[in-house]
Short mmCIF file of all heavy atoms in Angstrom, two decimals:
data_model
loop_
_atom_site.label_atom_id
_atom_site.label_comp_id
_atom_site.label_asym_id
_atom_site.label_seq_id
_atom_site.Cartn_x
_atom_site.Cartn_y
_atom_site.Cartn_z
N GLU A 200 65.41 93.55 98.17
CA GLU A 200 64.55 93.55 96.98
C GLU A 200 65.22 94.17 95.76
O GLU A 200 64.61 94.27 94.69
CB GLU A 200 63.24 94.30 97.29
CG GLU A 200 63.40 95.77 97.62
CD GLU A 200 63.63 96.05 99.09
OE1 GLU A 200 63.96 95.08 99.83
OE2 GLU A 200 63.49 97.21 99.51
N THR A 201 66.48 94.60 95.87
CA THR A 201 67.18 95.21 94.75
C THR A 201 67.28 94.24 93.57
O THR A 201 67.66 93.08 93.73
CB THR A 201 68.60 95.64 95.17
OG1 THR A 201 68.52 96.53 96.28
CG2 THR A 201 69.32 96.33 94.02
N GLU A 202 66.93 94.72 92.38
CA GLU A 202 67.01 93.88 91.18
C GLU A 202 68.45 93.45 90.94
O GLU A 202 69.38 94.26 90.98
CB GLU A 202 66.50 94.67 89.97
CG GLU A 202 66.47 93.85 88.69
CD GLU A 202 65.95 94.65 87.51
OE1 GLU A 202 65.54 95.81 87.70
OE2 GLU A 202 65.97 94.09 86.38
N GLY A 203 68.64 92.16 90.74
CA GLY A 203 69.97 91.62 90.49
C GLY A 203 70.62 91.03 91.73
O GLY A 203 71.73 90.47 91.64
N LEU A 204 69.95 91.10 92.88
CA LEU A 204 70.46 90.47 94.11
C LEU A 204 69.82 89.10 94.24
O LEU A 204 68.59 88.98 94.22
CB LEU A 204 70.16 91.34 95.32
CG LEU A 204 70.68 90.86 96.69
CD1 LEU A 204 70.96 92.05 97.60
CD2 LEU A 204 69.68 89.92 97.37
N VAL A 205 70.63 88.07 94.39
CA VAL A 205 70.12 86.69 94.46
C VAL A 205 70.77 85.95 95.63
O VAL A 205 72.00 85.85 95.70
CB VAL A 205 70.41 85.91 93.15
CG1 VAL A 205 69.90 84.48 93.27
CG2 VAL A 205 69.79 86.61 91.96
N VAL A 206 69.95 85.47 96.55
CA VAL A 206 70.41 84.52 97.57
C VAL A 206 70.20 83.14 96.96
O VAL A 206 69.07 82.67 96.84
CB VAL A 206 69.62 84.67 98.88
CG1 VAL A 206 70.04 83.62 99.89
CG2 VAL A 206 69.82 86.07 99.46
N ASP A 207 71.29 82.48 96.55
CA ASP A 207 71.11 81.33 95.67
C ASP A 207 71.21 79.96 96.33
O ASP A 207 70.81 78.98 95.74
CB ASP A 207 72.05 81.41 94.46
CG ASP A 207 73.52 81.35 94.85
OD1 ASP A 207 73.83 81.52 96.03
OD2 ASP A 207 74.35 81.13 93.96
N PHE A 208 71.75 79.85 97.54
CA PHE A 208 71.65 78.57 98.23
C PHE A 208 71.99 78.74 99.71
O PHE A 208 72.55 79.73 100.12
CB PHE A 208 72.54 77.50 97.59
CG PHE A 208 74.02 77.71 97.74
CD1 PHE A 208 74.70 77.24 98.87
CD2 PHE A 208 74.74 78.35 96.76
CE1 PHE A 208 76.07 77.43 99.01
CE2 PHE A 208 76.10 78.55 96.90
CZ PHE A 208 76.77 78.08 98.02
N TYR A 209 71.62 77.72 100.47
CA TYR A 209 71.83 77.70 101.90
C TYR A 209 72.86 76.62 102.23
O TYR A 209 72.76 75.50 101.72
CB TYR A 209 70.52 77.40 102.63
CG TYR A 209 69.49 78.50 102.55
CD1 TYR A 209 68.93 78.89 101.33
CD2 TYR A 209 69.09 79.17 103.69
CE1 TYR A 209 68.00 79.90 101.26
CE2 TYR A 209 68.14 80.19 103.63
CZ TYR A 209 67.61 80.55 102.41
OH TYR A 209 66.69 81.56 102.34
N GLU A 210 73.81 76.95 103.09
CA GLU A 210 74.83 75.98 103.47
C GLU A 210 74.24 74.90 104.39
O GLU A 210 73.39 75.17 105.24
CB GLU A 210 75.98 76.68 104.20
CG GLU A 210 76.68 77.78 103.41
CD GLU A 210 77.60 77.25 102.32
OE1 GLU A 210 77.72 76.00 102.19
OE2 GLU A 210 78.20 78.07 101.60
N ASP A 211 74.72 73.67 104.22
CA ASP A 211 74.37 72.56 105.11
C ASP A 211 75.51 72.43 106.11
O ASP A 211 76.58 71.94 105.78
CB ASP A 211 74.21 71.28 104.29
CG ASP A 211 73.75 70.10 105.13
OD1 ASP A 211 73.54 70.27 106.35
OD2 ASP A 211 73.60 69.00 104.58
N LYS A 212 75.28 72.88 107.33
CA LYS A 212 76.38 73.11 108.26
C LYS A 212 76.54 72.00 109.30
O LYS A 212 75.59 71.32 109.66
CB LYS A 212 76.21 74.45 108.98
CG LYS A 212 76.11 75.65 108.05
CD LYS A 212 76.19 76.95 108.80
CE LYS A 212 75.10 77.14 109.81
NZ LYS A 212 73.75 77.19 109.21
N MET A 213 77.73 71.91 109.84
CA MET A 213 78.05 70.99 110.91
C MET A 213 77.35 71.38 112.21
O MET A 213 76.80 70.53 112.92
CB MET A 213 79.58 71.00 111.12
CG MET A 213 80.10 70.24 112.31
SD MET A 213 81.89 70.47 112.39
CE MET A 213 82.27 69.58 113.90
N GLY A 214 77.38 72.66 112.54
CA GLY A 214 76.79 73.15 113.78
C GLY A 214 76.01 74.43 113.55
O GLY A 214 75.83 74.87 112.40
N ILE A 215 75.53 75.04 114.64
CA ILE A 215 74.61 76.19 114.60
C ILE A 215 73.66 76.08 113.40
O ILE A 215 73.49 76.99 112.61
CB ILE A 215 75.35 77.55 114.64
CG1 ILE A 215 76.36 77.73 113.50
CG2 ILE A 215 76.01 77.77 115.97
CD1 ILE A 215 76.84 79.17 113.33
N ARG A 216 73.01 74.92 113.34
CA ARG A 216 72.23 74.56 112.16
C ARG A 216 70.91 75.32 112.07
O ARG A 216 70.22 75.26 111.05
CB ARG A 216 71.99 73.05 112.15
CG ARG A 216 73.26 72.27 111.81
CD ARG A 216 73.12 70.78 112.08
NE ARG A 216 72.02 70.16 111.36
CZ ARG A 216 72.05 69.78 110.09
NH1 ARG A 216 73.17 69.98 109.37
NH2 ARG A 216 71.01 69.20 109.53
N GLY A 217 70.55 76.04 113.12
CA GLY A 217 69.33 76.83 113.07
C GLY A 217 69.49 78.19 112.42
O GLY A 217 68.51 78.92 112.25
N THR A 218 70.71 78.55 112.06
CA THR A 218 70.93 79.81 111.35
C THR A 218 70.87 79.56 109.85
O THR A 218 71.06 78.43 109.38
CB THR A 218 72.31 80.41 111.69
OG1 THR A 218 73.33 79.48 111.28
CG2 THR A 218 72.44 80.66 113.18
N THR A 219 70.59 80.59 109.09
CA THR A 219 70.57 80.45 107.63
C THR A 219 71.83 81.09 107.07
O THR A 219 71.91 82.31 106.94
CB THR A 219 69.31 81.11 107.02
OG1 THR A 219 69.23 82.46 107.50
CG2 THR A 219 68.07 80.37 107.43
N THR A 220 72.80 80.27 106.76
CA THR A 220 74.07 80.75 106.21
C THR A 220 74.01 80.57 104.70
O THR A 220 73.85 79.46 104.20
CB THR A 220 75.24 79.95 106.81
OG1 THR A 220 75.20 80.08 108.23
CG2 THR A 220 76.57 80.46 106.29
#
Side-chain angles (χ1 to χ4, degrees):
E200 64 271 16
T201 303
E202 183 180 356
L204 183 151
V205 179
V206 176
D207 64 346
F208 69 87
Y209 291 64
E210 302 285 359
D211 184 0
K212 302 191 299 297
M213 172 183 177
I215 57 166
R216 287 168 58 80
T218 61
T219 53
T220 303

